Amino acid sequence: MFRSLVAALAVLSCQLSPTRAAAAIAEQKDFSITNTNVSAVWNQTEWSLTTVDYVPAQYQSRMSLSNGYVGASLAAAGPFFEYDMNQTNPDGDEPANVWPLFSRRLSFSTISGFYNVQQNGSGTNYPWLEQYGYESFIAGIPHATGIIFTFGDASLDSTADPSEISNFESSLTFKTGVASWAYKWSPAGVSTTFQVSFKAIFSRVTPNLVAVEAQITPSGDVNGKVTDVLDGRSAVRSYLADKKLDEKSTTILTSVHPDNLPNVTAYLVSTAEFDDKYTNKKSRVEASAPI
């Protein structure tokens, strides 16, 4: 069952960020263990792994962050939610996880100990055990790190076309646990281009704290929106308990229950801070439709 648990705010925003560049090399498509043409570079001083290949909608190119309590898989384009897509046939079957659930492959997010209860899975090694009761599988929570920029009809999220992305660089620093992305975004139908950067961290000091920094610099004057989203598409095997927008601040929140366990609840609260020089906070509204 598809569930969308989205609370969001939209404001006018343009922020300053440094220009980043990366060497252009052939796009990475072969993720087999025998492939030696892997475009990733290890920096021993920084303990960082960096790639300059933008390969969306494939789980092999996503980064995963966790602090032992909360974790999430983050899209190739930034800290967004992402579905895997059929790379050879857009009209073909969607990529799926295998045994025992055979569910659609996506960027999953959850917290420790968050499990559902359901009658059975799609596959089992011991079908005779089903006579003794229900099974339990790990359940998801809304994807909490997405910050989406929109200009006209163009939105920057996990579906950004590779033809619109240049000077791409993403890295994970193992000393600090910081994931980062930087690139130039040239959306179709928009005369302006944008230098974009994201940073994300899942705190080890405060296990229930996740932080994202997003910066975008346009090549010219432009009005747009930024959406802070708690994306319910990653809350698989869970269902919505509540969602709210705080009218007096830039805070949104949502809560979910794992399937068939209404006495267990996961809460997510997100507060956005904006550069007042470029932001019209009076334009804040709740999202009118799911992402």
Side-chain angles (χ1 to χ4, degrees), residues 65-72 111 141 144-145 177 200-212 267-271 273:
L65 293 181
S66 175
N67 58 19
Y69 174 67
V70 59
I111 54 177
I141 62 173
T145 56
I201 187 171
F202 286 55
S203 175
R204 287 294 302 273
V205 176
T206 307
N208 62 347
L209 178 64
V210 177
V212 176
Y267 295 89
L268 291 90
V269 179
S270 178
T271 298
E273 296 182 0

Side-chain angles (χ1 to χ4, degrees), residues 7 31 70 111 169 187 260 278 290:
F31 290 98
V70 59
I111 54 177
E169 179 179 303
N260 297 309
Y278 298 101

